Amino acid sequence: MKFSAHFIVPADGSLLPKAIVEVDASGTIVRLIETSTELREQAGMEFHSGLICPAFINLWQLANTDEMMRRLPELEAFRSFIPQDTSHPKAIFNWIKAIQENVADSSLTALIGLFTARAAQAFNVDDAGLIATGKRPGLILISGIDYANFKLKADSRLKKLI
C-alpha cells in the first residue's frame, strides 16, 4: 500500500511535501519516497488532503501525568492544556490542538515529533514514533489545517490510515 498527502511529517524534524509512504501488509514501512513536490499518480496509491504522520503514542496508557512529565520534561510547558478526558482515543490530538490554539509560536512539526518520536524514545516503544524503513508506527491523517501558518484549527480532524 502507498499513501501520500500534501505533506508527510516523518517525525524526524523534516516536512516532506507530496512524499509517498509505502507499507507492507503488516503495516511495516517499506520505504519513504521524497518526490520533490512532483507527485505523479501511481497504481495502488491513495492521496489524501492534509498531512500524514506516525500515530501518536498513547501516553496515558503508559504512565500517569506526573510520570509522563518526568520522562518527557518538554511536556511540562503544556501541562495546562491537557484535555479533561485523557481516556478519549483522540486525547493526544486534542492536547496538540489546544497547544496550537493557545501557544502562538508552537510548531506543528515539532509537536508531532514530541508526541511520536520523542515519546516513543522516552517510553522505549521501539517500533513506533517514526516514519522510517522497518518501523511500524501506524499512520494517521490530519486534515483541516491552516496551511498559511501550518497550524491546527478548532475544526482540524484526525483519521487513522493504518
Side-chain angles (χ1 to χ4, degrees):
M1 296 181 287
K2 296 177 187 176
F3 298 94
S4 184
H6 289 106
F7 293 96
I8 293 185
V9 178
D12 62 0
S14 62
L15 178 66
L16 307 175
K18 296 186 175 85
I20 302 166
V21 180
E22 188 173 347
V23 298
D24 66 16
S26 72
T28 301
I29 305 294
V30 175
R31 63 185 170 150
L32 177 59
I33 305 161
E34 294 185 48
T35 65
S36 302
T37 71
E38 294 183 24
L39 183 65
R40 297 176 194 264
E41 275 191 56
Q42 296 183 21
M45 182 179 74
E46 294 179 14
F47 182 84
H48 295 275
S49 180
L51 71 83
I52 294 173
C53 66
F56 300 125
I57 306 297
N58 188 338
L59 297 170
W60 288 286
Q61 284 186 335
L62 302 173
N64 64 40
T65 300
D66 290 333
E67 173 67 16
M68 188 189 319
M69 297 297 164
R70 279 193 294 279
R71 290 195 184 203
L72 284 164
E74 305 96 309
L75 291 178
E76 191 62 51
F78 308 124
R79 185 188 281 259
S80 64
F81 305 115
I82 293 174
Q84 282 189 316
D85 184 1
T86 59
S87 65
H88 190 281
K90 294 182 181 176
I92 297 294
F93 180 64
N94 293 335
W95 193 3
I96 293 171
K97 279 183 16 179
I99 294 166
Q100 289 261 280
E101 289 172 3
N102 292 286
V103 181
D105 64 346
S106 62
S107 160
L108 181 55
T109 305
L111 287 170
I112 289 170
L114 176 59
F115 285 97
T116 57
R118 179 71 181 97
Q121 176 189 35
F123 286 93
N124 299 314
V125 184
D126 295 332
D127 236 10
L130 282 171
I131 296 177
T133 303
K135 298 278 189 180
R136 291 187 61 210
L139 298 177
I140 57 175
L141 171 70
I142 300 174
S143 58
I145 298 168
D146 170 0
Y147 288 108
N149 298 302
F150 210 70
K151 293 229 179 229
L152 297 181
K153 303 184 297 184
D155 64 344
S156 294
R157 294 169 308 286
L158 176 86
K159 176 183 176 186
K160 179 180 176 182
L161 297 176
I162 59 165

